Amino acid sequence: ATYKVKFKSFFTPEGQKHIEYRVLITHMQDAKWGQLEVTIRYSKLHQLHSTIYNAVKNLPLYPFPKKALFNNRSKDFVLERGMALERYTRGLMTYLPGSSYTNEYRLVQDFFGISQHEAKQYRAQQQREREDKERKRQMEAAFARYDSNGKGYLSPRDVLEVIRSGYQPTYVDRYRVLKQFSSADTDANIDKCWISRRNFLSTMLHYTDGNLSRDRILEEFQSYDVDNDGALQGQELDEFIKSH
């Protein structure tokens, strides 16, 4: 069987006299299929049974429970009938797939909302694939914009350009940028990421090809080193990234 069917409970809708069953349907081989919960009435399932009876009567199914004229609302009766309906439905789900009764199986799938559920999942998957494709396109375009030499990686100069362009990195992006900007001072925890005065000086001298003097670079470093501890960390580091 492809699907597992469980008649889990029953209830009487507000203002009504008939009984409805809550039915839980899961996929036997695909965990990503999720769960489908539907409510059905005995009379509606009986109509389905009547529609497909001539086609499926030769299948080894459990008998469909007969109607009861008396005492048909007692808890014991409703529970017992629910179990019988579950056995019958599981038989349909077991013997109809792969058989010649494709039309009847489609009726069963439509009745329990399986066709609609899978169509909705398919549309959602298609949407996710389109979004992933667009996201990949945007990322590739953004990467190409900063990959000045076209070699497929960002050089230190390219990384500095990303920072100076006004790009606002996410938590993870910020770590990746800073790891390239100052790998010697980067911890696995972004909150502990820091740039020392010495590393700042050597890195900036490299990035600017000597166009900024040593004193000018140290002056800039000092303007961000609010606590004067010789390192840019936490909020100091964030301010430096934002301003560049």
Side-chain angles (χ1 to χ4, degrees), residues 182 185 194-202 221 230-232:
S182 180
D185 302 324
W194 60 287
I195 300 178
S196 67
R197 180 186 287 106
R198 183 177 64 180
N199 202 353
F200 184 88
L201 176 61
S202 61
F221 176 88
L232 302 185

Side-chain angles (χ1 to χ4, degrees), residues 167-223:
Y167 168 71
Q168 296 296 321
T170 64
Y171 187 87
V172 175
D173 294 335
R174 182 172 296 156
Y175 169 73
R176 290 173 178 167
V177 170
L178 288 173
K179 186 173 179 61
Q180 296 182 63
F181 183 80
S182 180
S183 59
D185 302 324
T186 304
D187 189 275
N189 185 341
I190 188 68
D191 295 326
K192 297 180 180 180
C193 184
W194 60 287
I195 300 178
S196 67
R197 180 186 287 106
R198 183 177 64 180
N199 202 353
F200 184 88
L201 176 61
S202 61
T203 303
M204 292 300 288
L205 282 172
H206 175 76
Y207 285 169
T208 59
D209 290 331
N211 292 326
L212 287 180
S213 67
R214 178 188 180 94
D215 291 341
R216 179 66 186 86
I217 293 173
L218 291 177
E219 181 181 342
E220 181 173 5
F221 176 88
Q222 194 61 46
S223 68

Side-chain angles (χ1 to χ4, degrees), residues 20-32:
E20 293 192 13
Y21 291 93
R22 291 187 180 91
V23 182
L24 183 66
I25 302 172
T26 55
H27 199 286
M28 299 289 283
Q29 288 87 34
D30 186 2
K32 295 181 179 180

Side-chain angles (χ1 to χ4, degrees), residues 158-173:
D158 295 332
V159 174
L160 183 62
E161 181 60 31
V162 172
I163 297 174
R164 286 180 169 175
S165 69
Y167 168 71
Q168 296 296 321
T170 64
Y171 187 87
V172 175
D173 294 335

Side-chain angles (χ1 to χ4, degrees), residues 17-61:
K17 295 182 179 181
H18 66 270
I19 299 294
E20 293 192 13
Y21 291 93
R22 291 187 180 91
V23 182
L24 183 66
I25 302 172
T26 55
H27 199 286
M28 299 289 283
Q29 288 87 34
D30 186 2
K32 295 181 179 180
W33 194 86
Q35 296 183 339
L36 173 63
E37 184 172 306
V38 296
T39 59
I40 64 168
R41 294 179 60 175
Y42 168 86
S43 60
K44 297 295 183 181
L45 188 53
H46 185 268
Q47 289 176 10
L48 174 69
H49 168 69
S50 298
T51 300
I52 65 177
Y53 173 73
N54 287 331
V56 305
K57 62 182 179 180
N58 294 324
L59 293 178
L61 303 177

